[in-house]
Amino acid sequence: LAKGGTPLHSSPSRRCQMNPSIGLLTERLRLREYESPAEAAEAWARLNWSPMGGLAAPSTEAPEVAIAFWDRLTGARSKAPRTRFELAVILPATGALIGGVRIDVIDAARSQGDIGYALYPGFWSQGYGTEAASELIRFGFEDLGLDRIWATCDVTNAASIRVLEKSGMCCHRTLPRGGPSRKGQQASYLFGLAVEDFRRRSLSHPCGVAASP
């Protein structure tokens, strides 16, 4: 049972075939589906949804891109089995939208996924990023049945590095600047966590960042 949500199949072969609406609760946050095109447009306007995920800056994308974002959300929900979850980050006490997160099943055969997250700048440095990322990881392992979860962040994004470390992820290597998926962006760290380590990790002793080769 997803916290505050609906039961999901934990077997990778039957993952999310019913495509339930997802609602996840943490101590201070609610991670839920975007409820309207207007809400999705607000998130898109205030967040830079690059493939790298991470804590981001406001976007200057055209309104048409926000519409495409909503279409992507609804398309992902209707897919069977569902492999992409993009969720709004909400403060339950006020109902305020403060950011967005995502988790993707990137290799169903090997039960691997990756996560991304972004918060409005006014909510940085309050532990919300770690709280949201940690819940995504839990959801990925316990509800989606993943065996390994990956994440990337720019090498200069100290805040995002701390989020991943505090969430129990370890840096595996440095991805060079440029390349097919980087589109001229700066180098990034590749973080990962295996389900075995998730089960025994201590969040009070996060892994350090590996040095660049």
Side-chain angles (χ1 to χ4, degrees), residues 125-146:
S125 302
Q126 299 179 54
Y128 292 132
T130 300
E131 197 167 323
S134 296
E135 178 60 12
L136 277 185
I137 291 169
R138 185 210 64 77
F139 174 69
F141 287 133
E142 296 184 357
D143 295 282
L144 299 185
L146 297 175

Side-chain angles (χ1 to χ4, degrees), residues 153-162 182 186-189:
C153 68
D154 290 333
V155 296
T156 59
N157 193 336
S160 195
I161 291 170
R162 287 195 300 272
R182 299 295 297 149
Q186 58 190 326
S188 63
Y189 290 129

Side-chain angles (χ1 to χ4, degrees), residues 130 134 165-169 198 200-206:
T130 300
S134 296
E165 290 177 340
K166 290 179 180 179
S167 299
M169 303 190 84
F198 166 74
R200 63 172 178 260
R201 80 181 192 270
S202 169
L203 293 179
S204 62
H205 297 87

Side-chain angles (χ1 to χ4, degrees), residues 18 28 31 53 84 105 107 119 127 134 173 181:
M18 297 303 294
R28 298 180 297 166
L31 314 182
R84 186 175 184 88
V105 179
D107 188 337
L119 297 176
S134 296
R173 62 190 178 96
S181 64

Side-chain angles (χ1 to χ4, degrees), residues 31 34 49 85-89 99-103 116-118 132-133 136:
L31 314 182
Y34 289 93
W49 286 95
F85 301 82
E86 295 185 81
L87 307 173
V89 180
V101 296
R102 64 160 183 82
I103 182 168
Y117 45 88
L136 277 185

Side-chain angles (χ1 to χ4, degrees), residues 10-13 15 103-114 136-150 169 172 191-201:
S10 60
S11 169
S13 63
R15 181 184 294 114
I103 182 168
D104 293 287
V105 179
I106 58 173
D107 188 337
R110 296 193 297 166
S111 297
Q112 299 198 12
D114 75 350
L136 277 185
I137 291 169
R138 185 210 64 77
F139 174 69
F141 287 133
E142 296 184 357
D143 295 282
L144 299 185
L146 297 175
D147 290 334
R148 186 175 294 274
I149 294 175
W150 302 98
M169 303 190 84
H172 285 246
F191 281 78
L193 181 64
V195 66
E196 296 86 0
D197 295 325
F198 166 74
R199 289 169 179 158
R200 63 172 178 260
R201 80 181 192 270

Side-chain angles (χ1 to χ4, degrees), residues 18-89:
M18 297 303 294
N19 299 323
S21 179
I22 303 303
L24 307 173
L25 290 176
T26 69
E27 182 178 350
R28 298 180 297 166
L29 302 173
R30 182 184 178 199
L31 314 182
R32 61 156 172 79
E33 309 278 11
Y34 289 93
E35 295 181 340
S36 68
E39 185 176 65
E42 176 193 340
W44 188 274
R46 298 183 64 180
L47 299 170
N48 178 15
W49 286 95
S50 73
M52 301 312 298
L55 304 176
S59 173
T60 58
E61 299 282 3
E64 292 80 6
V65 182
I67 296 173
F69 177 46
W70 174 253
D71 290 341
R72 186 175 79 196
L73 293 173
T74 55
R77 293 177 199 173
S78 64
K79 185 178 179 181
R82 185 172 178 180
T83 59
R84 186 175 184 88
F85 301 82
E86 295 185 81
L87 307 173
V89 180

